[in-house]
Amino acid sequence: MEKASAALKNLFFPRRCPYCGQVMGFAPGCECAPRVEECRLFGPSALLDGEGRRFAFLDGGAACYAYAGPIRQGVRRLKFEGACGLAAVYGREMAALAAQLEPGGPFDGVMPVPSTKKERRRRGYDVPLLLARALSGALAIPLWDDILIKEFETRRQHELPLAERKANLLGAFGLRGTAAVQGRRVLLCDDVATSGATLDECAKMLRAGGAASVWAVVFAATPRPGARKAGKGERRHGTE
Ligand SMILES: [Zn+2]
């Protein structure tokens, strides 16, 4: 019975590749799975991650995948083509990875990297918030979506040279009350980390507000040109 209902469900709501969107099951399927590069760890505070990002305030974190190939395609579908249902799928993967981080105890709450009202209106939905919701559900921790806020619109980080990215974010984030984060272990989440400057700026605000530690989980991180490439399917654990 269970099998029959699963088959029916598959007929009407066929399982699709979470990256390219191709229907899976009967046809040979897509070539996405073997092409994804897994897990990149962000180093502890003031150290570098495998890609050369420097974090002054973030305690650590991880990305499920390198932002390339099928992962890049999937994120674009989520962000720019209205496939917002993917947030639940990606969020669950992020939760599995976040559960492996070691902040010295369970996270007290999860927080999306905030966007301004105008930015949300432009897209119609808020990707980091959708991811944070999935993380909150999967990890059974509170969703803190109204503490860290974005005060004003900034130029898009990925359109700026690396040297200008930190300055672009200066003062962009603010805290609405600090009581909720004081002494807490905060998990930040976002879809993609490029330079890591946005995550670090958010972590700076949260640390100033008294957070005990701030970690981040992102679905994908941009590989830096010339950085050591993690092998296909290679998972790195622990901090380096
Ligand atoms: Zn695919």
Side-chain angles (χ1 to χ4, degrees), residues 38-171:
E38 284 192 333
C39 191
R40 275 138 198 280
L41 226 79
F42 298 164
S45 176
L47 291 183
L48 302 174
D49 78 349
E51 304 292 348
R53 290 178 196 85
R54 192 178 289 276
F55 297 108
F57 301 97
L58 201 66
D59 289 282
C64 294
Y65 300 106
Y67 187 57
I71 298 300
R72 193 185 170 102
Q73 190 180 0
V75 170
R76 282 167 174 251
R77 288 175 58 229
L78 167 62
K79 290 178 77 168
F80 307 115
E81 295 170 26
C84 51
L86 289 176
V89 181
Y90 296 175
R92 275 196 298 274
E93 291 197 51
M94 289 161 71
L97 186 59
Q100 296 173 38
L101 298 175
E102 289 164 359
F107 289 109
D108 294 301
V110 59
M111 216 175 255
V113 165
S115 46
T116 62
K117 256 191 193 143
K118 204 169 166 191
E119 287 165 344
R120 285 193 291 275
R121 223 177 295 132
R122 200 179 302 139
R123 182 157 296 148
Y125 53 94
D126 183 339
V127 172
L129 176 60
L130 293 177
L131 294 171
R133 259 188 213 140
L135 278 158
S136 162
L139 297 171
I141 53 173
L143 167 65
W144 289 333
D145 60 347
D146 56 359
I147 298 171
L148 187 64
I149 56 137
K150 196 165 178 192
E151 308 270 11
F152 53 83
E153 229 175 315
T154 48
R155 289 176 62 201
R156 291 180 193 190
Q157 285 291 97
H158 64 263
E159 291 169 358
L160 295 173
L162 284 180
E164 288 176 31
R165 291 183 183 186
K166 263 197 187 316
N168 182 45
L169 294 169
L170 224 58

Side-chain angles (χ1 to χ4, degrees), residues 17 20 30 32:
C17 166
C20 71
C30 64
C32 289

Side-chain angles (χ1 to χ4, degrees), residues 176-197:
R176 288 283 171 271
T178 55
V181 296
Q182 246 159 43
R184 303 299 189 94
R185 286 182 287 264
V186 180
L187 178 63
L188 266 174
C189 74
D190 204 352
D191 41 68
V192 179
T194 309
S195 70

